[in-house]
């Protein structure tokens, strides 16, 4: 089955800095890669996703890049704000399946 | 607010007992997913229903079962509870079987 590795497990930045979270996946047939943000006491919230026919996608301060050859994808957050502090999960949908396999999560801490 | 509702928010019960968790999907969504989130296992997919029918099964124990009713709400039944079943249980919904998933706020289960 699919295996998703996510790094780092913890990321601490100063407000205004950029943050990058990286994930790798094992199944070359995976074609859908969502990113979720989970705040304390809440459920994961879909913040951005990318499909395998696209190399990059942006939404305001958030961007995701995908390298299918290397089987890795990354989340980039620019101009970080304290409200960006949360746990971020990457996921990959194995080919033919609509069920994502999740990474273990990255705890992002943005210091004011 | 994702539009997915889950009840109860918290549940404390003893080993050997049985509990039922309830999920109402977003209006118009036909697919419901159940996930378990624990500190050591991360976010694990349990089971998916689409328009009342079981669509996919993950790492769901035989002691656990689920169903989706004609009004599309879903229930997850956990029986013969063990201490290790203590976790957050999330429900997610999507329009179709392969669309973006939206998570509910979760039910925190504590087995004592």
């Amino acid at each position: 089955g699919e295996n998703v590795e996510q790094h780092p497990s913890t990321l601490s930045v100063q407000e205004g800095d950029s943050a990058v979270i990286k994930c790798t996946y094992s199944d070359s047939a995976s074609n859908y890669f969502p990113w979720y943000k989970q705040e304390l006491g809440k459920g994961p919230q879909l913040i951005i996703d990318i499909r395998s026919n696209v190399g990059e996608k942006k939404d305001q301060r958030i961007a995701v890049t995908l390298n299918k050859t290397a089987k890795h994808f990354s989340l980039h957050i620019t101009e970080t704000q304290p409200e960006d502090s949360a746990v971020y999960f990457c996921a990959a949908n194995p080919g033919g399946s609509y069920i994502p396999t999740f990474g273990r999560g990255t705890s992002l801490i943005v210091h004011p | 607010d994702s539009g997915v509702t889950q009840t109860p928010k918290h549940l404390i019960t003893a080993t050997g007992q049985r509990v039922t968790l309830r999920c109402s999907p977003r209006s118009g969504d036909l697919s419901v997913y159940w996930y378990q989130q624990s500190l050591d296992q991360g976010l694990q997919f349990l089971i998916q229903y689409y328009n009342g029918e079981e669509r996919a099964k993950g790492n769901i124990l035989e002691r656990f079962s689920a169903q989706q009713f004609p009004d599309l709400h879903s229930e997850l039944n956990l029986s013969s509870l063990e201490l290790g079943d203590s976790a957050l249980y999330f429900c997610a919904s999507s329009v179709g079987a392969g669309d973006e998933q939206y998570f509910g706020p979760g039910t925190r289960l504590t087995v004592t």
Side-chain angles (χ1 to χ4, degrees):
Chain A
E2 176 66 277
N3 182 49
V4 177
E5 299 283 341
Q6 182 172 348
H7 299 281
S9 58
T10 304
L11 180 58
S12 184
V13 300
Q14 288 296 128
E15 182 177 0
D17 288 349
S18 294
V20 180
I21 302 171
K22 298 182 179 182
C23 289
T24 60
Y25 60 99
S26 60
D27 189 341
S28 57
S30 285
N31 54 18
Y32 175 59
F33 307 91
W35 284 89
Y36 290 87
K37 173 184 180 182
Q38 186 175 19
E39 296 174 324
L40 199 60
K42 296 185 178 181
Q45 175 193 3
L46 179 67
I47 57 172
I48 195 168
D49 56 15
I50 191 168
R51 297 190 185 270
S52 59
N53 57 345
V54 175
E56 183 176 4
K57 185 176 178 180
K58 287 184 180 179
D59 183 3
Q60 299 182 334
R61 296 186 297 108
I62 294 174
V64 58
T65 58
L66 171 65
N67 183 327
K68 285 214 70 181
T69 303
K71 289 189 283 188
H72 67 69
F73 55 113
S74 301
L75 178 71
H76 305 252
I77 306 174
T78 58
E79 301 172 23
T80 53
Q81 301 166 5
E83 50 265 40
D84 294 329
S85 297
V87 178
Y88 291 80
F89 292 93
C90 65
N93 272 37
S97 166
Y98 301 117
I99 308 303
T101 298
F102 286 84
R104 294 301 297 266
T106 295
S107 178
L108 173 64
I109 303 165
V110 181
H111 299 280
Chain B
D1 185 359
S2 67
V4 179
T5 61
Q6 289 187 248
T7 56
K9 196 171 179 63
H10 301 279
L11 200 48
I12 301 174
T13 189
T15 54
Q17 295 299 304
R18 173 189 170 95
V19 296
T20 297
L21 312 183
R22 182 188 169 101
C23 167
S24 292
R26 295 186 318 160
S27 177
D29 285 1
L30 298 179
S31 197
V32 169
Y33 311 76
W34 285 97
Y35 292 88
Q36 180 191 60
Q37 185 177 44
S38 59
L39 283 174
D40 58 338
Q41 292 293 323
L43 200 58
Q44 298 286 317
F45 166 70
L46 296 177
I47 197 164
Q48 177 200 7
Y49 280 82
Y50 177 75
N51 204 20
E53 299 290 327
E54 182 184 303
R55 174 62 70 98
K57 223 170 191 177
N59 299 321
I60 187 166
L61 299 171
E62 284 191 14
R63 300 183 286 109
F64 296 1
S65 65
Q67 54 185 325
Q68 186 179 26
F69 295 87
D71 66 353
L72 301 177
H73 91 271
S74 179
E75 293 181 355
L76 178 67
N77 301 295
L78 315 176
S79 61
S80 303
L81 285 168
E82 302 175 359
L83 295 177
D85 297 328
S86 296
L88 278 165
Y89 290 84
F90 288 104
C91 166
S93 73
S94 64
V95 173
D99 295 316
E100 295 82 6
Q101 296 182 29
Y102 295 87
F103 281 75
T107 293
R108 180 175 293 278
L109 174 66
T110 303
V111 183
T112 61

